Every structure is written in C-alpha cells, then in structure tokens.
Amino acid sequence: MTDKIYDIVIIGGGPGGIGCAIEASSHKLGEILLIEKTDNHSNTIRKFYKDNKRVDKDYKGQVSVLQGNVDFFDGTKETTLDYFDNLLDSDKIDSLFNTEVEKMIRVGDFLEVHTSNGIIKTRNAAITIGKMGKPNKPSYKIPPSIRSQVNFNLDKCSSNEKVLVVGGGNSAAEYAYDLADQNNNVTMVYRKETFSRLNETNEEILTKYDGQEKLRLRMNTDIESLENEAGKVKVNFNDGFSVLYDRVIYAIGGTTPVDFLKACGVDVDESDKPIFDKHHETTAKCVYVAGDIAMKSGGSIAIALNHGYHIVNNIIRKRGQIFSHTEIVASIEDN
C-alpha cells in the first residue's frame, strides 16, 4: 500500500497506542503509523464508558506517576476524548482507521504488517489492543429474539428497567451502581460466595448500595439458561429460581487475542498472556505490547500511557547501541 518504511507501527488506538505514538513523536523517532480497526481512536472508552463517566488518572487507587510526555489529568469521558484528539491532531503521526491487522512476520531487518488494506513495512511494532474489544460471552445460548435486550456494555440502557448485571469484577460493579443511580431496579449476580477481584472503592459502594436496597447482590449463584417470555428475558438460575428482566448486562471480562498474538510471532504463557520483558518487548524481536493486553487487570489509562514511554525509550536505547557498534566497526576499519 506504500513504499514508506515506518520506524514504528502501533496496532490499536487506545491509551496505550496513543501513549506510544505521542512518545515516538516527542522523541522524533521517525515515521510513525497508528492503525485502528474501528473508525476512531479510544473505541473502548467510546463504547463501554457511559456519557459523563468520571475518568481518573489514578484509576480506583492504582496510583501512577506519569513518566512520559502525556500530561494526563482527571476528567470525564468527553474531556478525555477531546484531550486525546488534540494530542493526535498536533503531532506528525500517520493513521489508518477501519483497518484490520491480520498478522505480522519478520522479513530480514523489517517487520511486515499484513492488514486488510495491504502490507506495511516497519522497524518496530507495538501491539496495544485491548481485551474488551472481544468481551467474554456465556457458554449457553442467547435466543435471537431477545438479543437486543442482552448487552455487553451500557449503550442501550436507559432508566426504569429491571436489569440483571452478570459478573464479579470492577466493570460489573460499576455497571451495577451506575444503573442503580439511573433509577433502575438492579440485581448483580456472581457465581462465587465472595468477591475476589474488586478494588476497595467498588466493594464499599456495592455493600452500601446493597444495604440501602438501591441494588441487590445475588451471590453464589450461576445462570443455566436464558429464554424469551412475553418479550422479557427469563433468566433460569442454578438454584431453581427463574426471574424476568427487561435487560441483562454481561460484564465477565475480555479475552486475550491469543490467535492474533501467535500470528505476530508472540509467545504466550500458560494463562494465554503475552510474554514480554521489563521493556515490554515480546519474544518476537522488536514487537512490543502495551495497554490492557500487558496488564494483569485493565482500566488504568495512566499505566497504559507509561507503557508507551518505556517502549519508545527502549527503541531509542537499542538504536544507541547499534550506532555505537557501527562507530566501533568504522573505527577498526579506519585503523
């Protein structure tokens, strides 16, 4: 699609990708390309954050000191998107939207990035895709007649509905109490007896809301199946009870795109997580990971931005080593 050879191709337009792009531009790394499969950057924020949702630099207690050139600050969904817009508009960064990356292979000194629009050559690549782009789905069937009432984010939610939120993580908790604040009748169901993945703030809010009967916690309960009953979602629980809901929201995490990582030559561990070193370089030479895919638990925009700082600095460090080696060889030849 082009004869240009990029110094870094960034796959994914979320905070990790934006952090890589801005750091690369600030350090004058060279030719930079940001590839995003949707029609704009920050798709997870656009799709999974409700309007005016608060966005904190220190996400739920994950205190992070920003190390790079992005001065991220507390705000809302809208101010965060505006800020990222301004960053990308003001820097010399090429971008390709609505473009899927299929695989990546090394050919000599370069990486060939195979996309839905052709092949791109680069010296380095950063995989910064999130996991929520591929949300986990239940093993049982969702009947087609009620699929519009079974969601994986808050896009179609309103108020005055009877809603079941499925999951036990931070996203599920935030969905549950956000919906409760919108005058919905909310139940949150979790298959275990106690929460094990919630941060302290979310657990406190859930306990408070449950105690005030603003929402109901249904613990140690799983779902066996869903049915359509008179246009409602009939949820059949494993304790023998069945309840009708206007809407069911699943927040049961996302899946690491293992097949894609392998197609890029990246090895994964026994938990299907990418293997990478302290500089975020994977087992595939000059291929890095950043953002949610490189975190044990996602959510922190500040941490994702810092990943970009470490990646670009490592590329610069390696370039310096190569340059020094070249100088040494030239000196030997002169003598």
Side-chain angles (χ1 to χ4, degrees):
M1 53 188 292
T2 177
D3 293 330
K4 182 184 289 188
I5 296 175
Y6 286 92
D7 292 276
I8 186 168
V9 167
I10 300 155
I11 304 164
I18 292 170
C20 282
I22 298 304
E23 292 300 331
S25 178
S26 298
H27 286 86
K28 296 180 172 56
L29 192 64
E31 299 291 344
I32 307 160
L33 176 64
L34 178 68
I35 302 176
E36 166 59 38
K37 69 178 181 180
T38 65
D39 61 1
N40 212 330
H41 66 83
S42 307
N43 183 62
T44 297
I45 295 176
R46 297 178 193 278
K47 186 174 182 180
F48 291 95
Y49 286 31
K50 69 172 187 175
D51 291 345
N52 297 310
K53 175 180 171 63
R54 183 176 177 82
V55 179
D56 295 327
K57 180 182 79 68
D58 297 328
Y59 175 78
K60 301 300 181 183
Q62 297 181 65
V63 179
S64 302
V65 177
L66 290 167
Q67 299 169 305
N69 290 277
V70 181
D71 187 21
F72 188 67
F73 46 84
D74 295 345
T76 64
K77 169 185 176 179
E78 289 75 16
T79 62
T80 298
L81 292 173
D82 287 344
Y83 179 59
F84 287 157
D85 279 338
N86 291 332
L87 286 176
L88 293 172
D89 287 347
S90 61
D91 281 88
K92 294 181 179 179
I93 300 165
D94 291 345
S95 58
L96 275 177
F97 293 105
N98 295 311
T99 301
E100 290 267 7
V101 175
E102 299 157 359
K103 63 180 179 179
M104 189 166 15
I105 59 176
R106 174 162 288 282
V107 179
D109 293 332
F110 301 102
L111 294 164
E112 287 190 349
V113 182
H114 292 242
T115 79
S116 54
N117 291 315
I119 298 174
I120 300 167
K121 283 188 176 182
T122 183
R123 294 179 174 85
N124 301 278
I127 300 172
T128 66
I129 55 181
K131 292 181 285 187
M132 288 308 295
K134 188 180 179 182
N136 290 331
K137 297 185 178 182
S139 57
Y140 43 84
K141 181 181 179 181
I142 300 174
S145 60
I146 54 172
R147 280 181 184 165
S148 63
Q149 296 152 265
V150 177
N151 311 130
F152 297 87
N153 55 52
L154 301 184
D155 278 357
K156 298 180 181 179
C157 298
S158 55
S159 58
N160 300 310
E161 289 187 321
K162 187 174 181 179
V163 183
L164 179 69
V165 176
V166 184
N170 290 302
S171 293
E174 290 167 15
Y175 286 177
Y177 61 71
D178 280 347
L179 288 166
D181 287 339
Q182 300 301 316
N183 297 317
N184 290 289
N185 179 350
V186 181
T187 298
M188 179 175 170
V189 62
Y190 186 42
R191 58 188 175 83
K192 297 182 180 180
E193 291 184 6
T194 58
F195 294 113
S196 59
R197 296 180 289 126
L198 286 186
N199 60 56
E200 185 176 322
T201 302
N202 279 337
E203 189 155 10
E204 285 179 358
I205 294 174
L206 280 185
T207 302
K208 176 183 175 183
Y209 276 39
D210 184 41
Q212 294 176 346
E213 298 184 354
K214 294 183 69 172
L215 61 79
R216 178 191 177 197
L217 297 179
R218 189 165 184 167
M219 308 296 290
N220 198 30
T221 307
D222 213 343
I223 298 173
E224 292 188 338
S225 63
L226 302 182
E227 299 178 45
N228 182 343
E229 184 169 307
K232 302 281 188 180
V233 183
K234 181 180 180 182
V235 180
N236 301 309
F237 296 102
N238 63 351
D239 57 8
F241 289 94
S242 297
V243 181
L244 295 181
Y245 295 95
D246 296 307
R247 190 172 304 281
V248 176
I249 310 292
Y250 286 93
I252 50 179
T255 304
T256 301
V258 177
D259 292 339
F260 175 71
L261 289 173
K262 290 181 177 179
C264 294
V266 176
D267 293 332
V268 298
D269 62 19
E270 62 277 2
S271 300
D272 289 335
K273 307 293 185 183
I275 298 171
F276 57 93
D277 63 18
K278 65 180 181 179
H279 304 295
H280 287 258
E281 187 171 8
T282 69
T283 53
K285 182 183 177 182
C286 299
V287 178
Y288 299 82
V289 287
D292 279 359
I293 200 171
M295 296 186 202
K296 291 182 179 179
S297 59
S300 175
I301 291 176
I303 292 175
L305 293 171
N306 281 343
H307 289 173
Y309 168 81
H310 291 297
I311 289 169
V312 171
N313 274 271
N314 189 57
I315 293 171
I316 293 170
R317 180 185 62 81
K318 290 171 68 175
R319 276 188 175 182
Q321 289 176 347
I322 294 169
F323 181 69
S324 297
H325 176 72
T326 303
E327 285 186 320
I328 292 169
V329 171
S331 177
I332 293 171
E333 290 176 348
D334 289 341
N335 292 327

